[in-house]
Amino acid sequence: MSPEDNLRDRVTFLSSIASVWLSIKFIGILFPERYLDVLPGPWPLSALFLVAIAVAIYSICLFIAQRKFSLNTLNLPTVYPRFEVLIAAHNESSVIVDTLQNMLQIDYPNWQLTVIDDRSSDGTAKIIKAFCAEQGLSERLTVIERDSNARPGKAAALNEAFKASSADYIAIFDADARVEANCLRQAVPHLLEPDIVGLQFQKRVSNAEVNLLTRCQDFEMAFDTYVQVGRQSMNGLVELRGNGCIVLRSVVLALGGWDENSLTEDLELSNRIYLAGYKLAFAPEIIVREEAVLHAQAFYRQRRRWTEGSLRRHLKYAIRFWNPQSPLTFSQRTDVFIFLIQFAIPIWIFFDSMLEFTFLLLGSKSNITFLMLVSCIVGVTLWANIVVGVGRWRNLGPWAALRSGSLTFLYGFLCWPTIVIWTSRKILFGRRATTWVKTPRMLDL
């Protein structure tokens, strides 16, 4: 990320915080006290209370959307557009052969597999070439070796391979991905729907039973499926997740490819697709599995990058999202607003807690009880969503869903507020953006 982009994000973030604060102050001055007195607490805290109620209402809508949703019953395709499957591999010698064996089982009449060796230093390219020679795959599988001086990053690797492609659709998988043989056949009916230019599969964890952390990550993905299905059912914004996603090549070409400055190139591309007037679809019946992170240090490093990239891509397009001329619908703008609230609430509660505890220690009037009430509303709303989401998308009974959902809520409570506050500090005061660091695979450890 360039210094100019970093400065832009900082200014936009500061402006957003200042705008919210000034709006709250202005409303407190504008409205007579007799109207504000009916609120359950002082106006600034009541504003947080109203935000919590908005999240609760949105959660009810998510639940109703799940009730209306049914798995895809579209017929198998009668036309077969051409696919190119891209796998970017940076030092993936421990997993790449198993991944290739899995991918080559895909049952589809018109597709090509391309592996991009992204400046590996562990012999990944040699292993791929040896596998190709052994299996006689010279026509089906292409290997692109990036120069050691090439720009690092998955986005740069995808762009390099993308330029040489002529397929109708580009399917992107990580180097540890596992799919079913019929995944592309199942994807085609979704992609032929009007205005749909991309598709995301349901992500699941392939090593969920290794330890408690990997199991929680699998439940987290179940909750993500719950949210993606709800957003799609309510005509919100479905997002690409980087692994198990398909995009229409002509649209990506028109949008300029993947953003090589972005920490989360998949999410950033999702924003540009919607701002161009197109839509993405989510297919929970098509599953892609990937390894979960095994240890806390690597987990926090990964999630900090994801969170920072997710927030920065919204800061980048903030003006375009709220521009009245934007092609986004009212439901899509609402979806973005609710999404951003998940970043705002932890920061809001954190600073209000510091303020109220200071008042309490100084013997001044404190509204800590009301703040705790609002925090409980937020917590119970999130907990209920997680329990329902994990239960639905892992086919658990009520008690199993309650146990697994509560565990996932605790896992999220322990990491999410800390990561959001760290990310906010990084954007506001950090000299440079976070850089990508490879997550180790199980066999590497």
Side-chain angles (χ1 to χ4, degrees):
M1 174 174 287
S2 67
E4 292 78 12
D5 290 340
N6 201 29
L7 178 61
R8 176 206 63 210
D9 292 346
R10 181 172 300 161
V11 170
T12 305
F13 198 20
L14 279 171
S15 300
S16 300
I17 294 172
S19 297
V20 172
W21 182 79
L22 288 173
S23 297
I24 293 173
K25 283 290 186 182
F26 180 74
I27 291 174
I29 295 171
L30 180 65
F31 282 83
E33 288 188 8
R34 65 177 180 274
Y35 295 129
L36 297 179
D37 285 344
V38 302
L39 295 171
W43 164 236
L45 275 180
S46 293
L48 178 59
F49 172 76
L50 294 175
V51 168
I53 295 300
V55 172
I57 293 172
Y58 182 81
S59 299
I60 294 171
C61 294
L62 272 183
F63 177 76
I64 295 172
Q66 304 288 322
R67 306 282 291 183
K68 294 182 178 180
F69 178 83
S70 59
L71 289 177
N72 174 41
T73 57
L74 298 173
N75 296 324
L76 290 176
T78 56
V79 295
Y80 295 94
R82 185 181 175 198
F83 284 87
E84 180 157 7
V85 173
L86 299 183
I87 299 176
H90 175 69
N91 290 337
E92 299 285 6
S93 60
S94 62
V95 298
I96 194 62
V97 170
D98 290 340
T99 300
L100 294 179
Q101 289 174 336
N102 173 261
M103 290 292 163
L104 290 168
Q105 295 176 6
I106 291 177
D107 177 22
Y108 190 80
N110 191 15
W111 74 289
Q112 177 74 24
L113 176 60
T114 299
V115 181
I116 311 119
D117 175 55
D118 186 17
R119 308 162 298 104
S120 297
S121 58
D122 66 344
T124 296
K126 292 181 179 179
I127 292 173
I128 298 170
K129 289 179 179 178
F131 176 78
C132 292
E134 180 182 332
Q135 302 292 325
L137 300 171
S138 58
E139 295 184 0
R140 172 68 74 185
L141 194 154
T142 301
V143 183
I144 297 176
E145 292 186 72
R146 301 192 72 214
D147 187 87
S148 59
N149 296 320
R151 179 167 185 163
K154 182 179 178 181
L158 292 176
N159 281 333
E160 188 168 325
F162 177 72
K163 294 174 183 177
S165 174
S166 59
D168 300 306
Y169 289 94
I170 305 296
I172 302 111
F173 294 97
D174 286 345
D176 61 337
R178 300 291 183 270
V179 295
E180 299 296 328
N182 64 344
C183 63
L184 296 184
R185 290 180 182 270
Q186 288 182 292
V188 172
H190 290 280
L191 295 167
L192 297 181
E193 290 289 298
D195 298 326
I196 298 298
V197 301
L199 181 69
Q200 175 62 52
F201 299 173
Q202 179 190 168
K203 291 176 64 176
R204 297 193 64 161
V205 166
S206 59
N207 59 341
E209 300 307 318
V210 171
N211 58 35
L212 182 62
L213 181 60
T214 59
R215 188 156 62 251
C216 286
Q217 288 172 79
D218 187 52
F219 292 147
E220 179 188 10
M221 289 185 180
F223 178 59
D224 181 67
T225 298
Y226 177 79
V227 173
Q228 289 263 58
V229 166
R231 297 174 83 175
Q232 177 167 263
S233 301
M234 295 189 294
N235 297 314
L237 274 66
V238 172
E239 295 178 326
L240 301 174
R241 292 287 185 252
N243 186 22
C245 56
I246 300 173
V247 287
L248 182 62
R249 182 182 180 277
S250 60
V251 169
V252 177
L253 182 64
L255 294 177
W258 286 267
D259 183 356
E260 298 178 11
N261 292 318
S262 177
L263 291 171
T264 48
E265 75 291 328
D266 47 352
L267 298 176
E268 194 277 342
L269 180 60
S270 302
N271 277 16
R272 279 187 286 148
I273 285 173
Y274 277 98
L275 288 170
Y278 301 109
K279 293 181 181 179
L280 297 168
F282 183 69
E285 75 278 6
I286 314 176
I287 295 172
V288 57
R289 298 181 185 274
E290 62 182 41
E291 285 189 10
V293 181
L294 297 180
H295 301 302
Q297 183 179 7
F299 170 81
Y300 269 94
R301 186 186 302 120
Q302 180 193 68
R303 298 312 167 96
R304 288 199 304 260
R305 178 179 65 84
W306 286 1
T307 304
E308 184 177 345
S310 182
L311 184 53
R312 283 187 185 275
R313 52 97 185 215
H314 276 309
L315 294 173
K316 179 180 179 180
Y317 296 110
I319 295 176
R320 293 180 62 186
F321 264 120
W322 305 113
N323 188 330
Q325 304 303 318
S326 167
L328 296 183
T329 63
F330 175 78
S331 60
Q332 290 171 341
R333 294 175 198 269
T334 303
D335 188 89
V336 174
F337 173 74
I338 295 294
F339 178 86
L340 290 174
I341 283 177
Q342 69 174 316
F343 294 95
I345 285 180
I347 301 170
W348 201 334
I349 290 177
F350 173 75
F351 283 110
D352 266 340
S353 297
M354 292 179 62
L355 184 64
E356 295 300 332
F357 274 114
T358 301
F359 289 155
L360 188 65
L361 291 173
L362 293 176
S364 303
K365 181 181 178 181
S366 172
N367 296 285
I368 191 69
T369 303
F370 182 53
L371 178 60
M372 291 174 64
L373 173 63
V374 175
S375 301
C376 286
I377 293 173
V378 173
V380 170
T381 299
L382 179 59
W383 169 81
N385 273 272
I386 293 174
V387 169
V388 173
V390 170
R392 174 167 173 77
W393 292 105
R394 291 300 177 265
N395 298 315
L396 302 178
W399 287 111
L402 183 63
R403 291 194 302 271
S404 299
S406 299
L407 174 65
T408 309
F409 171 77
L410 178 61
Y411 148 89
F413 177 78
L414 291 175
C415 65
W416 179 245
T418 304
I419 290 174
V420 169
I421 293 169
W422 180 92
T423 300
S424 302
R425 180 208 62 81
K426 180 77 173 180
I427 294 175
L428 290 173
F429 307 111
R431 294 184 178 181
R432 59 183 65 88
T434 299
T435 55
W436 179 83
V437 177
K438 176 179 165 54
T439 302
R441 305 298 183 195
M442 286 183 60
L443 289 177
D444 295 333
L445 298 171

